[in-house]
Amino acid sequence: MFDNSDSDEAPRQRMVETVAPRVDDDRVLEALEAVPRHEFVPPDRRDRAYADRPLPIGDGQTISAPHMVAIMADLLAVAPGDDVLEIGTGCGYHAAVTAELVGDEGVYTVEYSEELADRARDRLAELGYDGVSVRAGDGREGWPDRAPYDAAYFTCAASSVPDPVVEQVGTGGQILAPIGAGIGSQRLVSATKRADGSLERTEHGGVRFVEMRG
């Protein structure tokens, strides 16, 4: 969606090469290469935009390290045409990567901070991801008006997966979230929704995310 012919193309390719060993799906690498991460970070941090590390984006929030975005996109295994719910829009970068995988009209993202939501909405539209739907609100409530979703993921840590989000994901759909009450106890958990509404869970190691607000 974005014209990739800019001066940041080479650093972006090096970033993709750095995270490639952690990813099985080549489509995820193509998505990372397509999205201009430098456009989502504050101007004074753009020289570090393609380093494999999280960066502050304001309001106490961060943009996740590229390898974490890649790992989460790989685990979620979404397909073109899927409808995906994101909890925690932040700067909009992860939503843009997801839009590359499913199409921008299939991405619905909820951000607690109205300021960040407005900023992300504008930035996504400027970069050609104008079909991504952004709403300011409490991520614990999901986005019921647009349900059901084929998948949902959290870019912030929660003590457990909120029931409304579980209810809004269709049977067989996947939820991916950092789960844990404190920074040191967070685990990346993927869960598939069974027909009876329960979740079949798998853990994928320790992670460090900003905790969900609200």
Side-chain angles (χ1 to χ4, degrees):
M1 298 178 187
F2 178 77
D3 182 359
N4 210 4
S5 57
D6 58 66
S7 60
D8 290 271
E9 183 177 357
R12 187 152 63 247
Q13 288 176 338
R14 288 195 295 272
M15 178 194 75
V16 172
E17 291 167 3
T18 298
V19 305
R22 300 172 179 247
V23 174
D24 293 325
D25 188 347
D26 287 343
R27 295 184 313 124
V28 172
L29 300 179
E30 291 167 3
L32 287 180
E33 189 166 358
V35 178
R37 190 172 188 255
H38 65 278
E39 296 283 358
F40 292 91
V41 302
D44 62 344
R45 300 185 187 277
R46 288 189 174 179
D47 60 330
R48 286 160 280 175
Y50 294 103
D52 190 17
R53 55 179 292 186
L55 293 170
I57 58 170
D59 203 13
Q61 304 301 298
T62 61
I63 179 174
S64 294
H67 78 268
M68 184 53 60
V69 175
I71 288 169
M72 291 181 69
D74 198 37
L75 288 171
L76 206 61
V78 291
D82 282 352
D83 287 332
V84 182
L85 173 64
E86 176 187 68
I87 305 300
T89 314
C91 62
Y93 174 70
H94 201 143
V97 172
T98 303
E100 290 286 342
L101 295 167
V102 303
D104 59 337
E105 293 186 355
V107 181
Y108 303 88
T109 178
V110 182
E111 169 55 48
Y112 185 80
S113 165
E114 190 165 343
E115 179 183 349
L116 285 180
D118 289 343
R119 203 183 306 163
R121 186 184 299 108
D122 291 345
R123 182 52 47 88
L124 287 163
E126 288 170 4
L127 296 173
Y129 302 100
D130 49 316
V132 174
S133 298
V134 183
R135 181 174 74 85
D138 187 348
R140 291 177 178 82
E141 301 302 320
W143 195 337
D145 294 349
R146 304 300 180 93
Y149 303 99
D150 298 292
Y153 66 92
F154 289 67
T155 67
C156 47
S159 57
S160 62
V161 180
D163 289 340
V165 175
V166 176
E167 292 166 5
Q168 290 164 33
V169 173
T171 299
Q174 191 175 10
I175 300 171
L176 185 65
I179 298 297
I183 291 291
S185 64
Q186 295 174 11
R187 310 288 290 179
L188 186 60
V189 174
S190 62
T192 302
K193 185 175 177 180
R194 301 185 181 103
D196 64 0
S198 64
L199 299 176
E200 181 179 349
R201 302 168 186 260
T202 306
E203 286 195 4
H204 300 279
V207 291
R208 292 174 65 91
F209 279 78
V210 174
E211 293 189 34
M212 181 182 289
R213 293 189 292 176

